[in-house]
Amino acid sequence: MNNYSEVELAQLIRKYGEEPHSFKIARRIIQSRPVNTTTQLAAIVEDALGGRHGRIHPATRTFQALRIAVNEELEHLEETLEKSIDLLGIGGRLVVISYHSLEDRIVKQFLARESRDCICPPSIPVCQCKHTASFRLINKKVITPSDAELDENPRSRSARMRIAERIGSGSTPVKVSNAKFSFNELRRGYSLN
């Protein structure tokens, strides 16, 4: 964090933390250098945003952004999703739980692409890509925690789960299930069919 310029740090916080006040936060961090502890960073961000205004700490998005950047989490997620095509056998299930919109967007786009036979742009009248679907979606919509689950575990509020089944090339398309499953049911191993 000490190597970034104010603009670079602000862009990083905006991109990975989706923080609307990223420039204000970055400016305050730069002015406060060196920042040596997470407690110090949390206080700097809280001060930059004028204190707490809700139940979520004002530094949450900044910490998320820094964690994602340092650990290269989104790049690792993309690599893992691509590898799942070769690692899963036919009929194997890919279950991904994401905890923020950046992760969920990557998973959603990957599953949308890999559940279609042709991924050519709509402007091309005849398929040129020769792409074949690798997965079929188990649920059309994302699975989110129920109210009961939120009462039991409030930290699950941002969790989003998507499920797909590995198919072979030339498999007959299967209708996507509209059934709803809770996280608890899936954890206990209930059948998804």
Side-chain angles (χ1 to χ4, degrees):
M1 186 170 60
N2 288 332
N3 298 333
Y4 288 101
S5 71
E6 183 177 320
V7 172
E8 291 170 327
L9 186 58
Q11 289 172 339
L12 185 144
I13 294 169
R14 169 78 70 164
K15 179 179 179 182
Y16 294 132
E18 298 180 315
E19 172 59 65
H21 305 291
S22 60
F23 280 93
K24 190 186 296 186
I25 293 168
R27 185 173 302 115
R28 192 63 62 93
I29 290 171
I30 298 296
Q31 292 168 352
S32 303
R33 281 182 175 165
V35 179
N36 297 314
T37 66
T38 56
T39 305
Q40 186 183 4
L41 178 59
I44 291 167
V45 174
E46 189 173 353
D47 183 54
L49 298 179
R52 292 183 181 224
H53 299 289
R55 60 185 184 142
I56 298 174
H57 194 281
T60 300
R61 290 179 177 166
T62 301
F63 277 97
Q64 172 184 304
L66 296 175
R67 187 196 74 232
I68 289 171
V70 168
N71 296 330
E72 298 178 336
E73 291 177 13
L74 300 181
E75 292 83 359
H76 290 299
L77 175 60
E78 289 171 347
E79 288 173 21
T80 302
L81 290 171
E82 290 296 334
K83 287 179 181 177
S84 72
I85 297 170
D86 295 327
L87 293 174
L88 280 173
I90 305 302
R93 299 277 170 98
L94 175 67
V95 179
V96 183
I97 299 175
S98 54
Y99 292 94
H100 54 78
S101 60
L102 297 173
E103 287 176 341
D104 189 51
R105 190 175 306 127
I106 290 170
V107 175
K108 181 180 180 179
Q109 290 171 352
F110 170 79
L111 292 177
R113 182 185 76 229
E114 292 304 324
S115 63
R116 294 192 327 243
D117 279 332
C118 175
I119 56 173
C120 291
S123 60
I124 298 177
V126 178
C127 179
Q128 301 293 316
C129 69
K130 310 273 191 274
H131 183 268
T132 57
S134 302
F135 289 97
R136 76 172 176 94
L137 302 178
I138 299 297
N139 288 73
K140 284 183 183 178
K141 294 187 178 185
V142 67
I143 299 170
T144 57
S146 67
D147 290 340
E149 290 166 318
L150 289 172
D151 289 341
E152 186 180 321
N153 180 12
R155 296 175 116 190
S156 69
R157 71 184 176 276
S158 61
R160 302 288 177 263
M161 183 164 52
R162 297 182 185 275
I163 307 169
E165 181 176 16
R166 182 72 168 92
I167 59 173
S169 59
S171 294
T172 307
V174 181
K175 184 178 178 188
V176 175
S177 169
N178 287 323
K180 292 189 176 191
F181 302 96
S182 70
F183 286 146
N184 287 334
E185 287 173 329
L186 291 167
R187 228 179 306 152
R188 288 188 205 111
Y190 282 60
S191 170
L192 296 176
N193 291 328

